[in-house]
Amino acid sequence: MKYLLTPLGALHRGATEIANGNLEHRIEQIGNDELTDLIASFNLLAASLAKQKEIREQWLSDISHELRTPVAVLRGEIEALQDGIRPMEPKYLEGLHAQVTTLTRLIDDIHTLSISSDSAFRTNQRSDIALADIIDDLLTRYELRLASKSLSVTTDYSSAPDTTIYADAKLIQQVFQNLFENCFRYTNEQGNVGITLESTANELIAIIEDSAPGVPNEALPKLFDRLYRVDSSRSRASGGSGLGLAICQNIIEAHQGTIEATHSSLGGVKIVVRLPKHH
């Protein structure tokens, strides 16, 4: 009986410790039986909870930092106008509006990321959609902006005679809008953007790539991290919130697809999106 009571008592004490917030508590494993496997699962759960707590705290810290900067700038500008240091002229009001716009975009992206990170997030508005049509529509909308930086765009759908996927049209549109926005913001003037669609029996592959500047090797796996900064010209100084690719990843994974970043032969970044064709 003691053989059973000792590990069960340890599990009870462990559950109490976790319930009281001690996520560092672990139970010593002895033996090799079903109860030992249960204890191993308990320790794995405790470690997972501790990691999630660490991630959550770091996320809150990062968000606080990101919000503090534009708010501080906004406050300083307003106080300068109030104190008469700066005259109430349109150019200064335009600066205030730009700061508010940046802050609003960041808050909107935080909200979108929060929703798409929720375990209850579902792509419940799925239907058969043509990815080529979504991309072409977005390119039409971006035509003037791309032209403002003299960016040339080439598309190649020849390897994907059928671009139909079963997906949520609005969410997939948001993914590719975020990717196009990155190309526009972070590609040097007179650069190039390439869009390729390829098809297999079960999936559709979309490749979005651009010309210089690129990112260092060590930055590639981190591009989808929330608020990750690339210490190069591809930084958020160009206006991004740093959440766009994290949102893309959540949406693509909710569609049982994958998204990854590699170096592009054009000199910039290549984003490869794989989406299943069928439900």
Side-chain angles (χ1 to χ4, degrees):
M1 183 64 70
K2 183 179 179 182
Y3 169 77
L4 293 174
L5 291 179
T6 299
L8 288 175
L11 280 167
H12 181 269
R13 289 190 297 273
T16 302
E17 288 290 331
I18 295 296
N20 289 333
N22 181 13
L23 300 182
E24 301 304 319
H25 183 82
R26 301 292 184 271
I27 301 174
E28 182 181 357
Q29 299 184 51
I30 301 175
N32 184 22
D33 55 21
E34 289 79 1
L35 281 174
T36 303
D37 291 342
L38 181 58
I39 288 173
S41 297
F42 175 91
N43 287 339
L44 186 62
L45 173 62
S48 177
L49 290 172
K51 182 63 175 178
Q52 290 301 315
K53 180 175 183 254
E54 179 185 346
I55 292 172
R56 185 169 60 253
E57 290 175 347
Q58 183 62 50
W59 171 232
L60 289 173
S61 174
D62 291 343
I63 287 297
S64 297
H65 175 76
E66 293 299 316
L67 291 173
R68 189 179 298 116
T69 300
V71 168
V73 172
L74 196 57
R75 179 178 178 178
E77 295 288 335
I78 292 173
E79 289 178 348
L81 292 171
Q82 289 176 326
D83 296 339
I85 298 174
R86 284 187 175 176
M88 191 72 72
E89 296 180 0
K91 64 178 180 179
Y92 296 123
L93 293 177
E94 289 172 5
L96 291 177
H97 183 267
Q99 288 296 328
V100 171
T101 301
T102 299
L103 192 57
T104 301
R105 183 166 54 238
L106 176 57
I107 292 171
D108 287 344
D109 282 350
I110 291 171
H111 176 68
T112 302
L113 183 61
S114 175
I115 293 174
S116 64
S117 299
D118 194 318
S119 59
F121 177 66
R122 294 289 182 271
T123 52
N124 56 4
Q125 301 296 321
R126 296 193 194 192
S127 61
D128 288 329
I129 59 174
L131 185 56
D133 291 346
I134 287 179
I135 291 175
D136 287 342
D137 288 345
L138 284 169
L139 284 176
T140 299
R141 287 165 50 187
Y142 270 80
E143 186 175 355
L144 292 177
R145 295 185 68 197
L146 293 169
S148 70
K149 290 183 67 174
S150 299
L151 298 179
S152 63
V153 181
T154 58
T155 59
D156 182 2
Y157 305 158
S158 60
S159 297
D162 181 12
T163 67
T164 303
I165 55 174
Y166 186 70
D168 186 309
K170 288 184 179 180
L171 293 177
I172 294 301
Q173 182 183 59
Q174 181 171 6
V175 167
F176 285 91
Q177 181 172 313
N178 288 355
L179 296 179
F180 288 173
E181 189 67 25
N182 280 356
C183 290
F184 170 74
R185 286 179 178 155
Y186 304 132
T187 305
N188 290 340
E189 291 193 10
Q190 298 182 335
N192 301 293
V193 177
I195 303 164
T196 305
L197 293 181
E198 300 174 356
S199 179
T200 68
N202 298 315
E203 66 180 5
L204 189 65
I205 305 166
I207 302 169
I208 314 292
E209 54 188 326
D210 54 36
S211 54
V215 300
N217 289 329
E218 62 272 14
L220 285 173
K222 301 176 183 177
L223 289 179
F224 299 94
D225 292 351
R226 299 166 173 174
L227 302 174
Y228 175 70
R229 295 178 185 274
V230 178
D231 188 19
S232 74
S233 52
R234 295 183 74 103
S235 70
R236 283 206 310 284
S238 303
S241 68
L243 297 173
L245 287 179
I247 292 171
C248 289
Q249 185 177 54
N250 285 346
I251 292 174
I252 294 300
E253 289 181 351
H255 282 82
Q256 293 78 50
T258 63
I259 183 170
E260 62 178 343
T262 62
H263 294 297
S264 168
S265 60
L266 299 177
V269 173
K270 176 196 286 187
I271 302 292
V272 180
V273 178
R274 297 175 181 269
L275 287 163
K277 284 185 175 180
H278 313 290
H279 50 97

